[in-house]
Amino acid sequence: MLISDIGLKQKTLKREVSVRGVGLFTGAEVELRLCPAPENSGIIFQRIDIPGKTLIPASVVNADNKKDSLRSMLVKDEGRIQTIEHLLSTLNAFGVDNLLIQVDGPEIPIGDGSAKIFIDLIEKGEVTHQLAPKKVFVIKEPIHLSEGESHLVALPLDEFRVSYILHYPRSKLLKSQYCTFSLQKGNYKEEIAPARTFSFYEDVEVLVRSGFVKGGGLENALVIKDDHVINPEGVRFEDEMVRHKVLDLMGDLYLIGGMILGHVIAIRSGHFSNIAFVKKLLSCMR
Ligand code: ZN
């Protein structure tokens, strides 16, 4: 793998935009503000509610994920920010390279459990080109990682493509689902961004009772009980769950620090293995 200049330019937003919302795990109501940033500054989170207003670069070196983690998290000094993956996925899809993301609490708002809240925000802020060349990570040869039931492979390809296989043999509704997504202008908004996070009722019950999920409800997650979805409005796509896995994976992959040119194939991966894979990709550059 190598970092290459393929003729694309870096991007940021034209103007500052903000939105208020609640975090899924902490239940904290926060204001999220996206601010344009200069060339080569990268994506940087800032906790403006803590002393020192810590800056936390969206890099895999700051990732702090435990095994079976249900969201992705970054930590730097006293600053910690969680559930970053849906916002990062949207920035990956829109090709935003430089942005200062200010937040006055510990978690990025969940919105409706999909990336819709971030699509609206980025469209309001308008993506604009800068002059510096975009940082592109080109997959030159197959790279793979297997950990238990999770497998990830990156293959050379002259576009950015993600394929995902989920497998829940215990669920008659889910069983196995497959989704392949090749990023083209505008298709993320239609095909991936509306897909909501999902959970099994039995798991949600435990998480809510133990106080682990404080901001969750049917308004921000698909909930599956006895092999059907209990949300009154039903699913947005028949395979909404695997589409959400693609959304998550695109967010975690953006922690590499730029665009990937290649095909990433993931089987039953979660945030922990996604991030381990990003570290592996980076180590293959040396
Ligand atoms: Zn997610």
Side-chain angles (χ1 to χ4, degrees):
M1 190 167 75
L2 53 86
I3 299 183
S4 174
D5 175 5
I6 57 166
L8 297 173
K9 300 292 183 211
Q10 293 182 15
K11 293 178 191 170
T12 187
L13 291 187
K14 257 187 199 163
R15 63 186 77 83
E16 202 172 292
V17 282
S18 66
V19 68
R20 293 198 68 80
V22 171
L24 177 62
F25 292 92
T26 58
E29 194 187 331
V30 299
E31 180 165 26
L32 170 71
R33 186 176 296 276
L34 308 185
C35 312
E39 293 169 351
N40 298 312
S41 53
I43 307 290
I44 299 175
F45 290 87
Q46 185 177 30
R47 281 285 303 272
I48 59 167
D49 59 317
I50 59 175
K53 303 189 188 311
T54 314
L55 294 168
I56 316 166
S59 160
V60 74
V61 299
N62 297 322
D64 186 38
N65 272 33
K66 308 280 178 289
K67 246 192 159 93
D68 300 324
S69 185
L70 296 171
R71 75 286 214 191
S72 291
M73 209 180 292
L74 294 170
V75 64
K76 178 105 199 280
D77 304 327
E78 284 77 45
R80 176 177 291 273
I81 184 76
Q82 48 184 307
T83 321
I84 53 168
E85 60 271 23
H86 302 165
L87 172 55
L88 287 182
S89 178
T90 314
L91 296 178
N92 189 352
F94 279 73
V96 176
D97 302 276
N98 305 304
L99 202 64
L100 176 64
I101 304 169
Q102 293 182 324
V103 60
D104 60 357
E107 189 175 5
I108 300 300
I110 190 67
D112 66 356
S114 76
K116 200 181 166 306
I117 183 176
F118 308 117
I119 296 274
D120 294 346
L121 205 54
I122 290 165
E123 286 186 340
K124 216 162 85 185
E126 271 185 84
V127 176
T128 184
H129 280 97
Q130 295 171 295
L131 294 175
K134 189 185 263 299
K135 205 168 163 187
V136 181
F137 295 83
V138 183
I139 307 293
K140 286 282 180 191
E141 73 265 340
I143 300 168
H144 69 92
L145 178 82
S146 285
E147 280 187 349
E149 302 272 313
S150 303
H151 311 280
L152 291 122
V153 182
L155 299 172
L157 189 69
D158 58 0
E159 60 176 13
F160 175 55
R161 177 182 283 267
V162 173
S163 300
Y164 193 96
I165 296 171
L166 69 72
H167 184 57
Y168 289 89
R170 285 185 301 121
S171 166
K172 284 198 193 88
L173 179 78
L174 280 178
K175 287 183 195 153
S176 296
Q177 289 187 350
Y178 169 71
C179 176
T180 187
F181 176 71
S182 148
L183 183 65
Q184 310 292 337
K185 203 173 167 27
N187 64 346
Y188 176 86
K189 182 181 173 181
E190 303 299 324
E191 297 173 25
I192 301 297
R196 291 161 290 176
T197 191
F198 64 94
S199 205
F200 293 97
Y201 182 79
E202 309 82 70
D203 300 339
V204 176
E205 224 192 348
V206 174
L207 292 172
V208 171
R209 226 184 313 123
S210 59
F212 195 60
V213 170
K214 296 192 178 76
L218 290 179
E219 66 286 353
N220 52 31
L222 275 178
V223 179
I224 301 159
K225 187 183 182 196
D226 300 333
D227 296 321
H228 66 273
V229 166
I230 63 171
N231 302 61
E233 73 284 7
V235 291
R236 293 177 179 169
F237 307 96
E238 239 175 76
D239 59 351
E240 183 167 352
M241 297 80 172
V242 72
R243 288 179 194 238
H244 187 81
K245 288 292 194 177
V246 167
L247 191 160
D248 279 343
L249 179 58
M250 283 178 65
D252 289 337
L253 288 174
Y254 214 39
L255 289 172
I256 201 167
M259 173 188 170
I260 292 176
L261 203 60
H263 183 186
V264 176
I265 303 163
I267 302 170
R268 304 186 81 178
S269 72
H271 296 302
F272 185 80
S273 44
N274 292 346
I275 282 165
F277 188 58
V278 173
K279 287 181 181 164
K280 172 105 190 230
L281 292 178
L282 278 176
S283 74
C284 291
M285 295 198 57
R286 290 185 201 115

